[in-house]
Amino acid sequence: MKKSVYIKTFGCQMNKSDSKRLEESFAAYGGSVISDESDADVVIYNTCSVREHAENKALSHIGRLKFLKDKKPSIKICVVGCMAQRMGEEIKKRLPHVDVVAGPSLMFELPGILYDGAGSGVFTDDPENRDYKEFFPGVIAGESEFARYVPIMRGCDNFCSYCIVPYVRGREKYRKKEDIIAECRVLGGKGIKEITLLGQAVNSHPEFKEILKEAAVVKRLKRVRFLTSYPGKMDRETIDIVRENETLCNMFHIPLQSGSDKILKKMKRRYTLSKYLDSALYIRATIPFASISTDFIVGFPGETESDFEKTIDAVKKIKFDQSYTFKYSSRPGTKAAGYEETVTEEEKQDRLKKLNEMCNAASLERNRLFEGREETVFSDGENSGRTGENKIVHFKGSRAAAGEEVRVRIEKALPHSLKGERIN
Ligand code: SAH
Ligand code: SF4
Ligand code: F3S
């Protein structure tokens, strides 16, 4: 029986990429992906555990699926990904209408479990022993797709003290460079123009620099991005490789987390602000239009007003193009969960607000550099798209198909986007 599958994805790019692979695994069984969950035979929620809020959001969505199950008992409700790994059996206890719970490495067995197997159960065992190759059933690129994620590693070994990722995704496992490049070639051949190489600490891959250089010259690929760079491993050589290869986008996502060395140390981030500045200022000096984006956590245990001021100062110095800011959320089982929380909810909220104001001002200042310039935008099919620096551009003028390259004269900068006029 051909199943129609609905997938909802929470969390980071890694989860989005996994959901895509999951679609491919179902397609291999003759299943099809649909966009309305009430018509589906299989409903899958791919979840995130990074903050308590992310889990609560997923749990309340999944709770609401009970009415679907009541209406159509044959429907299979599956919770996969990081929260599935962290909570396991507890999900089925709290939400008995859930059929399958599967962690980030076992979720690719879902088609087998549903078509040939038990049809229900909790699958969270030992993701350590799996061969990376098993995660990649093959590549099927959709008709209107022009951009794709290409994971180059899974898991994380960094164990930052606040972070759940190493616990739910396991130790780092690297995909072979040859397999990565082979996939890039297949994607190029299928009309994909833009790829994003993915990893929680993408530059931890032992062959990262070679992968960048080789991906940059794959035929027909026009843009190659990579995320997320671990600051401790970012170096001038990587920045030089980006500058020297036209295809490699001038964009760096390097989460700083805090501007205070004391807090960085407590976070077990293995770099100092001055090490970070060395990379960031080298990017600013050698690739002036390159974007630098970051993540920040405010209200980490022990963060004083003066530590927070150091974060603000770092924003003033670096002027990030884009910042993702979060209030610290204690995650069970992490090292920081044992630290006494010293920052009240109100203080967290207040710091978040101040930081956002500062970050928005920095983003606007950076975006203003683009006013008056002509940029190439890969259209998303509407009258908008992205530049190589990953700036969102809204443009006037004739409509462009998804993936079409549009030349745009930038007229106005906003904090999180640019506006302009199509000129080709
Ligand atoms: N691998 C990436 C990002 C992982 S999670 C990295 O190393 O930077 C994405 C972001 O969520 C992190 O950069 C961090 O800013 C935030 N984050 C992670 N754990 C958090 C927690 N417990 N509370 C609040 N924010 C958190
Ligand atoms: Fe989490 Fe740190 Fe790994 Fe990023 S590098 S996923 S923040 S443990
Ligand atoms: Fe990503 Fe969330 Fe998992 S950030 S790795 S989906 S915990």
Side-chain angles (χ1 to χ4, degrees):
M1 188 192 119
K2 285 197 178 134
K3 295 199 196 295
S4 48
V5 183
Y6 170 87
I7 307 180
K8 181 162 181 74
T9 309
F10 298 90
C12 65
Q13 287 89 352
M14 202 55 87
N15 264 19
K16 291 192 182 111
S17 162
D18 282 350
S19 287
K20 196 77 208 165
R21 303 271 162 182
L22 202 52
E23 284 182 18
E24 286 168 345
S25 321
F26 273 97
Y29 271 79
S32 58
V33 175
I34 59 169
S35 56
D36 185 351
E37 66 186 346
S38 53
D39 293 334
D41 305 311
V42 179
V43 172
I44 303 169
Y45 275 52
N46 191 5
T47 57
C48 172
S49 272
V50 83
R51 282 167 292 274
E52 193 182 0
H53 176 72
E55 290 193 341
N56 289 342
K57 202 166 90 185
L59 287 169
S60 89
H61 273 259
I62 298 159
R64 272 181 258 139
L65 296 175
K66 186 174 181 306
F67 86 95
L68 270 182
K69 187 79 176 175
D70 288 344
K71 217 167 62 182
K72 185 174 160 188
S74 67
I75 200 170
K76 291 288 182 183
I77 303 208
C78 312
V79 180
V80 304
C82 298
M83 186 185 77
Q85 183 69 32
R86 197 184 78 75
M87 294 178 71
E89 287 286 349
E90 198 192 326
I91 295 179
K92 285 190 78 145
K93 273 195 206 115
R94 284 169 65 167
L95 305 163
H97 58 282
V98 170
D99 297 282
V100 181
V101 173
S105 63
L106 286 158
M107 67 185 218
F108 301 101
E109 277 164 36
L110 208 47
I113 293 164
L114 295 175
Y115 285 77
D116 311 321
S120 69
V122 176
F123 304 87
T124 52
D125 285 344
D126 198 12
E128 302 303 315
N129 295 332
R130 293 178 59 103
D131 178 350
Y132 201 87
K133 241 188 150 132
E134 291 173 63
F135 297 119
F136 296 94
V139 178
I140 308 160
E143 286 294 308
S144 62
E145 271 186 276
F146 70 92
R148 269 278 186 148
Y149 293 119
V150 176
I152 72 167
M153 59 180 288
R154 289 180 79 81
C156 186
D157 287 353
N158 284 320
F159 286 93
C160 303
S161 62
Y162 51 81
C163 185
I164 196 76
V165 171
Y167 301 90
V168 289
R169 289 202 164 246
R171 297 300 75 73
E172 289 179 5
K173 287 179 274 301
Y174 310 112
R175 213 174 157 197
K176 282 205 192 73
K177 185 186 76 181
E178 291 67 33
D179 294 347
I180 296 163
I181 300 303
E183 181 174 334
C184 292
R185 293 204 177 105
V186 171
L187 291 171
K190 288 185 188 259
I192 297 293
K193 292 175 148 185
E194 176 178 316
I195 59 157
T196 303
L197 303 170
L198 278 190
Q200 288 295 349
V202 72
N203 50 346
S204 289
H205 194 298
E207 293 184 285
F208 178 63
K209 288 170 188 156
E210 285 67 39
I211 294 167
L212 282 186
K213 286 187 225 163
E214 290 187 29
V217 294
V218 169
K219 280 205 186 80
R220 288 179 289 269
L221 288 185
K222 297 210 167 156
R223 282 180 178 173
V224 175
R225 308 182 188 276
F226 58 93
L227 313 158
T228 293
S229 296
Y230 185 73
K233 286 190 178 146
M234 178 49 80
D235 57 15
R236 293 184 174 208
E237 199 187 335
T238 304
I239 298 162
D240 291 340
I241 293 170
V242 170
R243 191 186 59 249
E244 285 156 10
N245 288 273
E246 193 60 31
T247 319
L248 298 178
C249 290
N250 291 332
M251 147 193 164
F252 298 86
H253 183 58
I254 329 172
L256 174 58
Q257 311 298 0
S258 167
S260 155
D261 285 343
K262 179 192 103 191
I263 294 299
L264 288 174
K265 195 158 184 210
K266 252 189 121 185
M267 287 177 164
K268 288 208 342 183
R269 300 286 284 181
R270 291 185 307 280
Y271 55 85
T272 57
L273 176 65
S274 102
K275 150 79 196 151
Y276 189 98
L277 281 173
D278 184 68
S279 304
L281 299 179
Y282 187 70
I283 295 169
R284 291 291 187 233
T286 58
I287 325 178
F289 286 93
S291 67
I292 306 177
S293 57
T294 190
D295 300 344
F296 284 117
I297 298 175
V298 297
F300 187 78
E303 185 189 72
T304 61
E305 205 46 57
S306 113
D307 292 316
F308 175 67
E309 281 305 320
K310 291 185 173 127
T311 299
I312 295 281
D313 287 344
V315 176
K316 283 187 191 156
K317 257 196 202 115
I318 300 163
K319 301 197 195 305
F320 294 99
D321 291 77
Q322 191 72 256
S323 307
Y324 303 91
T325 57
F326 308 103
K327 283 187 276 184
Y328 171 69
S329 164
S330 173
R331 304 283 59 219
T334 61
K335 190 146 197 274
Y339 299 162
E340 190 199 340
E341 288 225 33
T342 57
V343 187
T344 65
E345 181 57 30
E346 291 67 39
E347 282 167 327
K348 281 186 195 173
Q349 193 57 49
D350 186 51
R351 287 179 193 175
L352 189 71
K353 189 166 167 272
K354 282 192 188 131
L355 181 58
N356 284 340
E357 280 163 12
M358 193 50 72
C359 290
N360 287 342
S363 298
L364 180 60
E365 190 178 328
R366 288 289 305 167
N367 282 354
R368 286 215 168 113
L369 294 177
F370 289 81
E371 284 180 347
R373 283 172 64 88
E374 287 174 14
E375 295 292 327
T376 299
V377 170
F378 283 16
S379 168
D380 55 18
E382 308 296 324
N383 272 35
S384 54
R386 283 173 193 269
T387 68
E389 296 81 12
N390 213 26
K391 305 268 180 197
I392 296 169
V393 179
H394 298 278
F395 56 87
K396 289 179 286 189
S398 58
R399 222 182 127 99
E404 205 179 316
E405 284 160 57
V406 179
R407 291 288 291 169
V408 178
R409 186 177 306 109
I410 306 300
E411 286 160 352
K412 190 172 166 51
L414 300 168
H416 303 292
S417 65
L418 302 169
K419 283 183 167 175
E421 170 102 35
R422 179 173 184 172
I423 50 177
N424 68 339

